[in-house]
Amino acid sequence: MRVGVLTGGGDCPGLNAVIRAVVRKGIKDYGFEFVGFRDGWRGPLEGVTMELDRAAVRGILPRGGTILGSSRTNLMKIEGGVERVKDNMAGLGIDALVAIGGEDTLGVAARLTEQGVNVVGVPKTIDNDLNATDYTFGFDTAVNIATEAIDRLHTTAESHHRALVVEVMGRHAGWIALHSGMAAGANAILIPERPFDIDEVVGWVESRFTTEYAPIIVVAEGAHPKDGQMELATGEKDSFGHVRLGGIGQRLAEEIEKRTGKESRSVVLGHVQRGGTPSAFDRVLATRLGVQAIDAVRDRDWGKMVALQGTDIVRVELSAATEKLKTVPPERYAEAEVFFG
Ligand code: F6P
């Protein structure tokens, strides 16, 4: 069998580990050949490929990013896109696709399956917001990066008696904020799932100052206050219609300074959370998902996504994975709230 592999959406530590596992197991156990598609769905759409043999995947396990490149090309918005993909796959003699991506990439994969394309999906996102899988690879790495940053910010905040607001990624789900904030002992954690009350946040900040500690507030980029007045969208949208966010950390720091009279600073961790080498946990998870994905291809089990449930890798319908976002449940937030203020 000839198998195409692509990585779509925002990049994520562990993508290369999946590619390596898919290729290594596919060649060794099943004698498959592989073709790398460049830059997400742009690859099969435009027929842009790269060689993907054993040599191509040598040494990539600890490397961040993706050797295939990525993009947010939305195939479904392109006139005749599906037919072009089918034609290009046929022309290249490709029988099946392994699509590694998040909600958008896998949403396209689910639609392609309905149209008769042989696809198996692998979930990825640092945001950990994909349904039907307990964790996505990349999340652990992002949380570790954010935790280390918050640890460092604690000492400088205390030296200067300042409030520090740390903005982390998470457009619709606050998983990175929740985990890094809990791990690093944040004074408050603000997530998109729970609109915050600015008076309450200011109260937590003030109470922290009274104990001679400096407050650290971890805020997810998609968090917003109850009255909706401090949210800052750039006005731009990507090809999947997502609004580009930015600025809640800065706005919050200004508001805290204004209301408390204490100096406040904001730090946006941004793409640092997505770059660099994956953690050991993510390398193992990504490798296991890759191994299981190529088994699904061997079984011709199309339209499935491999997923982590408990400690097992299982197969779920691609549609189940993308039908809703996995957000932070109230009981998980309540565990973090114990330590606010
Ligand atoms: O991968 C998801 C994500 O990390 C979101 O948390 C964030 O909003 C988005 O990517 C930003 O991605 P980009 O800057 O690549 O558009």
Side-chain angles (χ1 to χ4, degrees), residues 10-11 72 124-127 169-171 221 238 244 271 274:
D11 73 338
R72 294 191 190 271
K124 75 83 227 182
T125 166
I126 65 163
D127 297 338
M169 280 188 169
R171 204 187 331 238
E221 62 184 329
D238 68 19
R244 290 214 165 87
H271 294 83
R274 261 177 27 194

Side-chain angles (χ1 to χ4, degrees), residues 17 27-28 42 44 91 127 144 151 158 181 195 213 246 267 305 323:
I27 292 173
K28 186 175 178 211
R42 188 177 83 83
D127 297 338
N144 283 323
D151 284 347
E158 270 159 32
Y213 282 110
V267 175
M305 179 187 89
E323 71 194 5

Side-chain angles (χ1 to χ4, degrees), residues 28 42 81 112 137 188 200 228 268 275 320:
K28 186 175 178 211
R42 188 177 83 83
L112 282 179
F137 66 85
E200 200 173 24
V268 181

Side-chain angles (χ1 to χ4, degrees), residues 56-132:
V57 300
R58 189 167 296 138
I60 67 172
L61 173 64
R63 262 176 64 188
T66 161
I67 59 165
L68 298 175
S70 192
S71 75
R72 294 191 190 271
T73 305
N74 187 349
L75 199 57
M76 295 303 163
K77 285 210 169 146
I78 294 165
E79 180 93 29
V82 175
E83 286 316 309
R84 276 168 66 189
V85 166
K86 283 185 174 174
D87 289 349
N88 284 331
M89 283 178 66
L92 292 160
I94 292 173
D95 309 289
L97 271 180
V98 174
I100 311 164
E103 172 212 351
D104 297 326
T105 306
L106 297 178
V108 171
R111 302 272 300 279
L112 282 179
T113 304
E114 288 161 12
Q115 311 221 22
V117 180
N118 300 333
V119 192
V120 166
V122 179
K124 75 83 227 182
T125 166
I126 65 163
D127 297 338
N128 196 40
D129 58 0
L130 272 175
N131 194 37

